[in-house]
Amino acid sequence: MFHREHPLIPRPICLELARLVVKENLVNKRETVQALMDAVQKGDFENAKTMLADDFQFSGPVPEPINKEAWLGMNSSLKTAFPDLNYHFKVIGAEGDVVKTTSQLSGTHSGSFDLTGMNMGVIPATDKTFSTKLEKTKVTVRENKITSWAVEQTEGAGLKAILGQLDVKPTAM
């Protein structure tokens, strides 16, 4: 019989399992963020709401961070005002609880744009198109719920850029 002086030591299974769990968690977080944007893109705000944590906060292109209800309302208003709205959303990476994404909004203003929540009234359809610059975002996912969405300030993006391209003068911002 063949006998080895130093038997081969197998790799610890726990390390392999830990790598798989980390990789699976990052994939799940990316999928969670993608599922949210797919729901918002389709205008399925009831489904989108189920993916957001109760303490969800959105920040960046708004004067102050807004909560889940305000964010869903803002996206619903965008979808009503711009039925062909396209977010051009891409997940570009994930690290820990943070999923990095980009978006570049474009659409045609063919419906009423309700900005009463921002003290700007309702803007009637202009039938003008817009396309914003690419924005970078960081989305935090904890326990399969999205807890925050932070948009990096970008010149030529956000609500101010949309209103500018529609030739609408903001009364408050």
Side-chain angles (χ1 to χ4, degrees):
M1 259 198 144
F2 183 76
H3 184 305
R4 293 186 181 185
E5 208 171 294
H6 300 287
L8 294 174
I9 301 172
R11 292 175 69 173
I13 293 173
C14 62
L15 287 179
E16 291 293 318
L17 185 58
R19 282 190 193 109
L20 286 174
V21 168
V22 168
K23 185 176 180 182
E24 184 178 310
N25 283 341
L26 290 177
V27 169
N28 287 344
K29 289 175 185 201
R30 290 171 68 121
E31 289 171 352
T32 298
V33 172
Q34 185 66 56
L36 174 68
M37 281 316 297
D38 289 347
V40 170
Q41 181 71 52
K42 293 175 192 169
D44 185 358
F45 299 109
E46 285 303 312
N47 187 26
K49 186 177 183 176
T50 67
M51 297 179 220
L52 301 175
D54 291 338
D55 60 348
F56 171 83
Q57 292 282 294
F58 175 79
S59 62
V62 290
E64 299 178 6
I66 58 176
N67 66 18
K68 170 170 59 173
E69 297 303 326
W71 186 77
L72 290 167
M74 178 181 71
N75 279 286
S76 178
S77 181
L78 279 168
K79 198 66 173 164
T80 300
F82 308 95
D84 65 343
L85 180 64
N86 191 334
Y87 290 86
H88 303 283
F89 181 78
K90 290 188 178 107
V91 174
I92 57 172
E95 189 176 313
D97 289 340
V98 177
V99 177
K100 295 177 182 176
T101 67
T102 61
S103 61
Q104 184 175 10
L105 281 66
S106 65
T108 306
H109 185 207
S110 57
S112 295
F113 195 9
D114 186 355
L115 295 173
T116 54
M118 298 178 80
N119 298 318
M120 294 174 61
V122 177
I123 300 166
T126 62
D127 291 319
K128 293 182 179 180
T129 60
F130 79 92
S131 180
T132 64
K133 299 233 177 170
L134 185 77
E135 297 176 297
K136 294 179 181 178
T137 61
K138 291 181 180 177
V139 183
T140 304
V141 181
R142 291 193 181 102
E143 298 176 12
N144 296 321
K145 295 280 188 179
I146 295 171
T147 59
S148 73
W149 191 291
V151 179
E152 202 175 276
Q153 291 288 347
T154 304
E155 188 67 33
L159 182 59
K160 191 173 182 180
I162 293 170
L163 294 177
Q165 290 182 41
L166 300 178
D167 291 325
V168 173
K169 303 290 183 243
T171 55
M173 274 187 71

